[in-house]
């Protein structure tokens, strides 16, 4: 009895999907990264107006360049599988069984781990390098900007300019301790000079966000929140509150100006002299890193304590008066 | 339960939730702004005369103990409980504010400094409850709210750089004789009379104004209530094409 055995025929040589996917992915990724770096990067927010803004723009570009190949791979594989391996009309057979592939799994785990670890190191370096990356570091900053702390500020030196940002419902004011503690409703900064912001609040929680400078720091009552930057371009800065703070939160913004060092000194000295002449400097409290909104030491000498008449009776409402909403 | 029935139930539940949200938005948010009247001021000879008063209380049924601004109707001279008014663009605005409320210190005494008015000053007179004038036409660029019982509230339009402290009756008068029925009148009540001028913006727009004194009694640090509500201590100056 003869037996005829049918030998399994070798599978027809199909396209090498892996290699095809790799080359498509490589071309698309290269193109995307080049476009991101050379076309998108110069226009990424928040621009390059300050040292912190420049670093933030660089960070976003790096993140985009790293993320693009990953996103492209996932989307490409999804589209490729949908097009090439979709079921043909009338084909009711089961799909190919799926088995684990150690090489693919290892590549994915090692690749993503390497990316995450790299970003952790990169992020730490980018936080330390530009002295906190423009973010509020609290009252005792770990990373500080290079420069000399001085009771005065002089153009052409490495003196750090101190600017106190005072937030209240619903305006920002700015105090300059190196110019007699004068206060202004406009923010002026000199170009190419290190700036140390001291951000605080007189009532509720606000947030000082100088967008083009890449500076953002919460303004909390009784807290001195320090942030650093160095303006590197002349121009206007938009300052917004970035913490919901009441009915006019959306309107709590004003504009700042980065000017030449000589123009800044002329402006600051002029405001100081004017406020000296108008009696404003004498009316302001001594410069302090925080202000207790319920205590005014200068108050009360000539004021009759009035109970139950009106308003705060010459004093502030205490924080528990009389009921909490 | 059939599929159409389940789908119908799902759609009905969705519509009920959406309808409830729309109702809340329209009923609460909508009603808060639509009840306020806007007082319209027109110019005569290139000048607009706006008259306001600030009181220790108000004549509403809902929040009678809230401090409040009132706006004077230019035609009837009646006081309207609103903080919305309109002025023509590019005009000199002569502002008169009657201050009937007592003093409260500014949280930031920088706002004692008059800013944004023509000449950078305001002119203040003060009267006791008998109509006797004890401060007469004092022109100043600073009303120091921390040196005495000087400032009741402020009138500030931040977008225009206009910041004006509004004087209050002195300490003794604030303690004993404040107006107790709104809208207050100059007869039988101590008050301050403050005038200043500024140029309205050249282009039409809505400019919010506010008080910078934490005057919301009964709320955390005086920050809530009338401070946060249109019609009391904050409002809009509408600039219209002239």
């Amino acid at each position: 009895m003869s037996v005829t055995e049918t030998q399994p025929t070798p599978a027809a040589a199909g396209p090498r999907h892996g290699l095809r996917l790799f080359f498509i992915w490589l071309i698309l990724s290269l193109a995307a990264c080049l476009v991101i770096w050379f076309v998108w990067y110069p226009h990424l927010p928040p621009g390059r107006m300050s040292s912190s803004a420049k670093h933030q723009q660089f960070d976003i570009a790096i993140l985009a360049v790293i993320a693009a190949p990953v996103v492209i791979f996932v989307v490409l594989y999804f589209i490729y599988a949908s097009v090439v391996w979709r079921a043909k009309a009338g084909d009711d057979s089961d799909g190919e069984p799926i088995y684990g592939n150690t090489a693919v799994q290892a590549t994915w785990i090692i690749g993503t781990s390497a990316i995450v670890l790299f970003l952790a190191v990169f992020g730490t370096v980018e936080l330390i390098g530009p002295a906190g990356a423009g973010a509020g570091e609290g009252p005792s900053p770990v990373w500080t900007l290079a420069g000399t702390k001085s009771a005065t500020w002089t153009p052409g030196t490495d003196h750090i300019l101190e600017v106190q940002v005072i937030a209240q419902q619903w305006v920002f004011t700015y105090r300059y301790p190196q110019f007699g503690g004068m206060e202004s409703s406009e923010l002026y900064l000199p170009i190419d000079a290190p700036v140390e912001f001291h951000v605080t609040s007189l009532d509720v929680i606000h947030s000082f966000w100088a967008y083009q400078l890449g500076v953002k720091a919460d303004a909390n009552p009784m807290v001195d929140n320090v942030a650093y930057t160095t303006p590197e371009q002349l121009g206007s800065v938009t300052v917004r509150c970035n913490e919901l703070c009441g009915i006019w939160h959306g309107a709590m913004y004003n504009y700042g100006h980065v000017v030449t060092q000589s123009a800044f000194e002329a402006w600051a000295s002029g405001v100081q002299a004017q406020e000296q002449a108008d009696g404003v400097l004498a009316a302001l409290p001594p410069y302090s890193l925080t202000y207790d909104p319920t205590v005014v030491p200068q108050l009360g000498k000539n004021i009759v304590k009035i109970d139950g008449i009106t308003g705060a009776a010459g004093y502030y409402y205490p924080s528990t008066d009389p009921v909490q909403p | 339960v059939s599929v159409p029935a389940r789908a119908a139930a799902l759609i009905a539940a969705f519509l009920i939730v959406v309808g409830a949200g729309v109702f809340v938005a329209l009923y609460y948010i909508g009603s808060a702004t639509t009840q306020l009247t806007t007082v319209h001021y027109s110019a005569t000879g290139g000048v607009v005369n706006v008259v306001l008063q600030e009181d220790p209380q108000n004549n509403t049924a809902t929040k009678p103990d809230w401090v409040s601004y009132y706006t004077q109707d230019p035609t009837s001279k009646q006081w309207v409980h609103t903080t919305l008014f309109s002025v023509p663009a590019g005009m000199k605005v002569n502002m008169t504010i009657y201050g009937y409320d007592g003093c409260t210190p500014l949280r930031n005494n920088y706002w004692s400094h008059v800013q944004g008015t023509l000449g950078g000053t305001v002119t203040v007179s003060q009267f006791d409850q008998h109509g006797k004038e004890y401060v007469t036409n004092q022109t100043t660029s600073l009303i120091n709210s921390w040196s005495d019982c000087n400032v009741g509230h402020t009138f500030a339009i931040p977008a225009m750089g206009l910041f004006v402290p509004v004087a209050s009756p002195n300490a003794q008068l604030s303690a004993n004789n404040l107006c107790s029925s709104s809208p207050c009148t100059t007869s039988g009540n101590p008050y301050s009379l403050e005038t200043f001028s500024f140029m309205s913006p050249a282009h039409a727009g809505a400019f919010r104004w506010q008080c910078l004194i934490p005057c919301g009694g009964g709320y955390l640090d005086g920050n809530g209530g009338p401070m946060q509500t249109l019609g009391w201590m904050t409002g809009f100056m509408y600039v219209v094409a002239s």
Side-chain angles (χ1 to χ4, degrees):
Chain A
M1 182 177 179
S2 65
V3 176
T4 304
E5 290 186 352
T6 305
Q7 298 294 325
T9 54
R16 300 181 65 180
H17 295 294
L19 202 58
R20 184 193 282 177
L21 275 168
F22 173 75
F23 280 116
I24 296 173
W25 169 79
L26 187 65
I27 292 167
L28 288 177
S29 296
L30 274 174
C33 289
L34 289 172
V35 168
I36 288 169
W37 195 258
F38 291 105
V39 179
W40 198 21
Y41 175 20
H43 304 288
L44 280 171
R48 308 175 68 82
M49 197 167 182
S50 73
S51 56
S52 44
K54 194 166 65 179
H55 274 276
Q56 289 169 19
Q57 191 186 50
F58 174 71
D59 299 344
I60 296 171
I62 290 291
L63 287 172
V65 164
I66 291 175
V70 178
V71 173
I72 287 172
F73 173 76
V74 172
V75 174
L76 173 65
Y77 192 87
F78 176 77
I79 295 172
Y80 187 91
S82 299
V83 172
V84 177
W85 293 318
R86 74 182 188 278
K88 306 296 185 294
D91 181 6
D92 294 330
S93 62
D94 289 340
E96 293 289 329
I98 298 173
Y99 301 101
N101 187 312
T102 304
V104 170
Q105 291 170 344
T107 303
W108 183 260
I109 290 170
I110 291 170
T112 52
S113 298
I115 289 172
V116 169
L117 289 173
F118 166 76
L119 289 177
V121 175
F122 174 77
T124 304
V125 170
E126 282 295 286
L127 181 67
I128 297 171
E137 295 188 59
S140 304
V142 177
W143 305 291
T144 57
L145 209 56
T148 304
K149 299 273 280 185
S150 171
T152 58
W153 184 86
T154 309
T157 66
D158 70 340
H159 290 171
I160 295 176
L161 177 72
E162 291 182 47
V163 181
Q164 184 173 52
V165 179
I166 304 172
Q168 69 176 109
Q169 290 178 324
W170 292 272
V171 284
F172 286 106
T173 55
Y174 309 95
R175 222 173 157 187
Y176 295 79
Q178 290 148 313
F179 290 87
M182 67 87 169
E183 193 165 334
S184 171
S185 54
E186 289 184 286
L187 175 65
Y188 273 80
L189 298 172
I191 193 170
D192 295 329
V195 177
E196 183 178 276
F197 289 108
H198 292 267
V199 184
T200 190
S201 168
L202 296 179
D203 40 49
V204 299
I205 300 173
H206 302 272
S207 179
F208 169 68
W209 182 20
Y211 172 77
Q212 288 86 351
L213 296 180
V215 174
K216 188 186 283 184
D218 278 355
N220 295 284
M222 298 297 293
V223 174
D224 171 36
N225 196 8
V226 180
Y228 296 95
T229 196
T230 301
E232 295 182 349
Q233 290 178 358
L234 301 173
S236 292
V237 177
T238 307
V239 176
R240 286 191 173 278
C241 179
N242 199 45
E243 188 76 43
L244 187 60
C245 60
I247 185 174
W248 296 127
H249 162 69
M252 188 173 168
Y253 65 90
N254 57 19
Y255 299 98
H257 311 277
V258 177
V259 297
T260 63
Q261 295 198 0
S262 56
F264 170 78
E265 191 195 30
W267 171 83
S269 302
V271 173
Q272 181 184 358
Q274 187 64 49
E275 293 191 355
Q276 182 81 46
D278 289 344
V280 178
L281 283 187
L284 292 175
Y287 179 75
S288 170
L289 293 177
T290 62
Y291 303 96
D292 185 339
T294 62
V295 175
V296 181
Q298 298 88 332
L299 195 67
K301 294 174 185 171
N302 304 314
I303 294 180
V304 178
K305 178 72 175 172
I306 312 164
D307 290 324
I309 295 295
T310 180
Y315 292 81
Y316 287 125
Y317 291 104
S319 58
T320 55
D321 173 63
V323 291
Q324 297 301 312
Chain B
V1 180
S2 67
V3 172
R6 279 188 284 178
L10 193 63
I11 291 170
F14 174 76
L15 291 176
I16 289 171
V17 171
V18 170
V22 171
F23 172 77
V24 168
L26 292 179
Y27 184 79
Y28 288 102
I29 301 173
S31 64
T33 53
T34 54
Q35 291 175 354
L36 285 180
T37 303
T38 300
V39 175
H40 300 283
Y41 289 95
S42 54
T44 305
V47 176
V48 189
N49 295 304
V50 175
V51 186
L52 307 177
Q53 70 165 276
E54 34 95 331
D55 292 7
Q57 68 286 310
N58 65 82
N59 61 342
T60 66
T62 52
K63 304 290 182 186
D65 56 341
W66 281 11
V67 295
S68 185
Y69 268 99
Y70 280 80
T71 306
Q72 190 177 61
D73 185 297
T75 306
S76 67
K77 303 301 180 187
Q78 296 296 305
W79 291 103
V80 183
H81 188 238
T82 185
T83 52
L84 309 181
F85 62 88
S86 71
V87 298
M91 297 290 169
K92 180 183 178 184
V93 178
N94 288 334
M95 203 85 183
T96 300
I97 301 180
Y98 291 87
Y100 290 99
D101 196 11
C103 55
T104 302
L106 280 157
R107 210 169 277 280
N108 184 348
N109 210 28
Y110 175 66
W111 304 119
S112 291
H113 187 206
V114 178
Q115 298 177 59
T117 65
L118 295 177
T121 59
V122 295
T123 300
V124 178
S125 298
Q126 288 173 299
F127 302 83
D128 68 13
Q129 70 273 27
H130 307 298
K132 182 184 175 186
E133 190 171 12
Y134 59 92
V135 171
T136 304
N137 288 338
Q138 187 177 70
T139 298
T140 181
S141 62
L142 182 78
I143 307 177
N144 189 340
S145 82
W146 288 4
S147 67
D148 204 342
C149 178
N150 284 325
V151 177
H153 298 278
T154 80
F155 179 83
I157 306 179
M160 291 173 55
L162 181 73
F163 299 98
V164 178
V166 180
S168 69
N170 70 28
Q172 288 297 341
L173 294 172
S174 292
N176 302 311
N177 296 288
L178 275 191
C179 165
S180 58
S181 177
S182 293
C184 297
T185 63
T186 56
S187 174
N189 297 308
Y191 66 98
S192 68
L193 176 60
E194 186 164 315
T195 58
F196 55 91
S197 301
F198 61 91
M199 294 302 296
S200 64
H203 301 290
F207 293 80
R208 58 111 179 176
W209 63 271
Q210 67 166 101
C211 174
L212 287 162
I213 294 269
C215 56
Y219 294 86
L220 183 63
D221 291 325
N223 284 322
M227 284 281 287
Q228 306 264 0
T229 311
L230 286 171
W232 271 265
M233 299 308 295
T234 184
F236 277 103
M237 181 182 78
Y238 299 109
V239 176
V240 297
S242 50

